[in-house]
Amino acid sequence: ADDLRERLVELVEASRAANIAHLEAAETSGWVDAQIEVVAAQTQHAVRLEARRYHSACQLLTDFYFAAMGSGLPAPRPRPPVINALAAPEEKPEPVEEKKGKAKAKAKGKEEPPPEEKLDEASRRRRYIEPTKDPETGQILVPGRWEFPFLRDLVTQARAVL
């Protein structure tokens, strides 16, 4: 029985070492970052498509109602600006004003939000938030989680377009 136990312990330790080596290889290979990049690009493309679809639907409705009133077709609406939350901060286009009236009100006296922390390229895609622990007991109060900061930029740009 002791021989069997020792043999099982050896097998478990060998398997654990192999799994740890496999995990380290996966983490250092960049595979996860590449997959995050693909999902981020697909998400951004989907948001762009929805913004274009919204723009086209608004143009179609405007054309229909102008034609129904017998007023002829109105001038086409300007194309929405490109939504690009994945560009490096230096490459990002100027922020789009939501509405002209709001832009004037904003300039009159409202304070701008505090600048966001500058993130490196990988941290702009995803970052891990460490769990919050109780200092006395060491018990985890809030579990750790992954955040995807580019989504905030993506939604902000999409709202500005709409």
Side-chain angles (χ1 to χ4, degrees):
D2 288 336
D3 292 340
L4 181 58
R5 183 180 180 287
E6 289 175 15
R7 175 91 169 112
L8 286 174
V9 168
E10 289 174 9
L11 288 173
V12 167
E13 289 301 320
S15 177
R16 180 178 296 155
N19 289 337
I20 288 174
H22 189 266
L23 175 65
E24 289 174 359
E27 288 176 345
T28 58
S29 72
W31 182 85
V32 173
D33 291 330
Q35 296 306 309
I36 294 292
E37 185 71 28
V38 167
V39 170
Q42 290 175 341
T43 303
Q44 178 172 282
H45 186 69
V47 169
R48 283 178 177 172
L49 287 175
E50 284 300 313
R52 275 192 243 147
R53 185 181 67 83
Y54 175 80
H55 174 76
S56 298
C58 288
Q59 184 68 50
L60 179 66
L61 288 171
T62 303
D63 291 350
F64 171 77
Y65 283 110
F66 270 77
M69 292 185 300
S71 303
L73 293 177
R77 298 177 66 186
R79 293 187 55 90
V82 175
I83 297 171
N84 192 0
L86 298 178
E90 302 82 41
E91 299 173 15
K92 281 190 180 176
E94 291 297 316
V96 179
E97 297 294 333
E98 288 187 29
K99 303 283 184 209
K100 290 181 182 177
K102 287 184 179 179
K104 289 180 182 176
K106 194 176 202 180
K108 284 186 179 176
K110 288 193 176 181
E111 295 179 19
E112 291 185 22
E116 292 186 21
E117 60 186 81
K118 294 188 179 185
L119 303 173
D120 64 352
E121 192 63 30
S123 295
R124 286 183 50 245
R125 304 284 190 270
R126 71 178 180 133
R127 67 177 171 207
Y128 184 71
I129 306 300
E130 296 293 331
T132 305
K133 295 182 180 181
D134 185 347
E136 295 174 2
T137 63
Q139 183 180 11
I140 295 177
L141 301 173
V142 178
R145 66 191 182 281
W146 285 99
E147 284 189 351
F148 300 91
F150 81 93
L151 288 175
R152 187 177 319 116
D153 294 340
L154 187 64
V155 170
T156 301
Q157 288 182 29
R159 284 185 178 159
V161 167
L162 304 178

